Amino acid sequence: DFDWRKSADYLASCSLARAISPVLDYPGLKRWAPSFFVTQLRQAALIEGIRDLAQRETLRHLGIALSSIGYTGVLLKGGALLGRELFGDSHGTIPRRGSGDIDIVVSPAVAPLLRRELLNRGYSGTATQLRTGPHHLAPLSLNGVTVEIHTRIMPAFWGLPELEMLSCATPLAGMPSLATLDDEGMILHAAVHSTAHLFSHGVRAVWDVAC
């Protein structure tokens, strides 16, 4: 009694539709899966592909904005995987999943400067918006892509060793103003972030670890 509709919704919400697209042609899956399962995931994969193009442009905007003010930011989660693929040395063994928001962490002193720079470059929002979380400013957006500027990786009560994690961040060769956590830091963040959301997207977390 497998719920194919729920499974398709879940995989799409984990931004895995495009990554698993080759599997949709497997004879074994075609034998058992209803046609709407394949159709729904193919549609979700197309949406992910379109969003991916806009996110790539957003990463370029972030890199250029940080370079213009003379600072470096550390990309998090799906944005970090995309950044590694776009500007760095992507060595994942499985296809990268899609990304949702673009999250980037900078020092508290740099966060308002970066926000102002992005607003000047056409991002929606205001300079005076209140924080929407204890660890990040109010989100900005452009072309359907949301950017969250973090002043911490996660709220302090989660107890992440953030200073150590950020000290091991590696700049991306093709855009030195952007960096990512090292593999250990990314795995730790993925695990704790999944916990924070009550494992609601556990497959996404496992996929990121495998990447």
Side-chain angles (χ1 to χ4, degrees):
D1 294 329
F2 188 76
D3 190 332
W4 290 97
R5 181 76 67 186
K6 183 177 180 180
S7 179
D9 290 341
Y10 178 63
L11 291 169
S13 71
C14 288
S15 301
L16 286 170
R18 194 161 57 132
I20 66 171
S21 287
V23 178
L24 301 179
D25 292 321
Y26 282 15
L29 183 64
K30 286 185 174 181
R31 177 183 178 188
W32 295 108
S35 59
F36 70 76
F37 176 82
V38 174
T39 299
Q40 185 174 338
L41 285 177
R42 290 202 189 282
Q43 291 173 343
L46 179 61
I47 293 170
E48 283 182 20
I50 295 171
R51 186 190 306 131
D52 187 78
L53 294 175
Q55 290 166 338
R56 288 168 182 262
E57 192 63 23
T58 296
L59 289 192
R60 292 187 179 91
H61 290 167
L62 283 171
I64 293 169
L66 282 163
S67 180
S68 69
I69 60 177
Y71 292 98
T72 298
V74 180
L75 296 167
L76 303 172
K77 300 184 291 187
L81 297 173
L82 175 58
R84 284 185 171 188
E85 180 179 285
L86 191 58
F87 300 120
D89 179 21
S90 179
H91 53 275
T93 57
I94 61 176
R96 172 184 58 82
R97 70 166 172 88
S99 179
D101 299 344
I102 300 295
D103 299 89
I104 187 166
V105 60
V106 296
S107 70
V110 173
L113 301 179
L114 177 58
R115 182 180 180 83
R116 189 179 306 118
E117 184 67 22
L118 291 176
L119 288 171
N120 291 339
R121 293 173 181 271
Y123 280 71
S124 65
T126 65
T128 57
Q129 274 182 284
L130 298 177
R131 284 174 173 263
T132 51
H135 59 303
H136 60 72
L137 307 185
L140 301 168
S141 64
L142 183 69
N143 297 328
V145 178
T146 299
V147 175
E148 280 189 350
I149 301 173
H150 287 232
T151 52
R152 297 184 57 92
I153 298 174
M154 290 186 70
F157 61 79
W158 285 103
L160 283 177
E162 295 202 6
L163 290 178
E164 292 85 351
M165 293 168 71
L166 292 172
S167 70
C168 295
T170 304
L172 299 174
M175 186 68 79
S177 57
L178 297 177
T180 68
L181 301 174
D182 65 2
D183 290 346
E184 183 179 8
M186 290 180 72
I187 289 172
L188 178 59
H189 184 210
V192 177
H193 189 267
S194 180
T195 302
H197 289 271
L198 303 178
F199 307 101
S200 59
H201 290 88
V203 170
R204 181 169 64 191
V206 171
W207 196 278
D208 287 354
V209 170
C211 282

